[in-house]
Amino acid sequence: PLPVFPLPLFPSLSFSPSPLSHPLSPQAAMTKLGQWLCGLALLGSAWAALALAPPGLQPPAPLRQALLPLPVYLLVAFGCYSLATVGYRLATFNDCEEAAAELQEHIKAARADLRRRGLRL
């Protein structure tokens, strides 16, 4: 039989659960960057397994010719999508007339305050 030790074998160590042990805690949530990196690692490993396969397990030549430049094509497509998204967001950007008027009032008040204190603008 195995010896039975009392539970507080090392009293200096704390066995309380860490905040990362709860799956729904904010500390354990995966960030968007982590999600993208996991997805890229998954796609990259699948691409490497297919494109850089050992000689006995290589896919047919036409598929292999399409697989080799695939990362470059995906990078160009991602760049085009990013440019189109930025362009669309700039084209549909709403002006905030009320906020602009409020900012102009703040600027006038700050200039008046600085003039009152003796600063020339």
Side-chain angles (χ1 to χ4, degrees):
L2 294 173
V4 177
F5 294 107
L7 190 59
L9 189 61
F10 301 104
S12 63
L13 294 176
S14 171
F15 290 107
S16 64
S18 71
L20 296 177
S21 64
H22 191 272
L24 297 177
S25 69
Q27 293 88 3
M30 185 180 286
T31 62
K32 223 23 157 170
L33 176 63
Q35 291 174 354
W36 276 98
L37 290 177
C38 284
L40 286 175
L42 183 66
L43 289 175
S45 60
W47 173 83
L50 288 172
L52 307 173
L57 299 174
Q58 286 184 351
L63 180 62
R64 192 163 150 71
Q65 288 175 350
L67 277 175
L68 288 177
L70 187 64
V72 176
Y73 294 151
L74 290 176
L75 186 64
V76 169
F78 178 71
C80 292
Y81 171 76
S82 298
L83 283 175
T85 301
V86 169
Y88 174 75
R89 298 276 169 93
L90 281 174
T92 60
F93 186 75
N94 293 330
D95 290 334
C96 300
E97 299 295 332
E98 300 85 22
E102 182 182 351
L103 184 60
Q104 289 296 328
E105 290 299 320
H106 285 295
I107 291 171
K108 287 178 187 176
R111 283 184 177 167
D113 184 51
L114 289 174
R115 280 193 200 107
R116 185 178 50 85
R117 293 178 187 223
L119 183 68
R120 289 185 171 183
L121 297 177

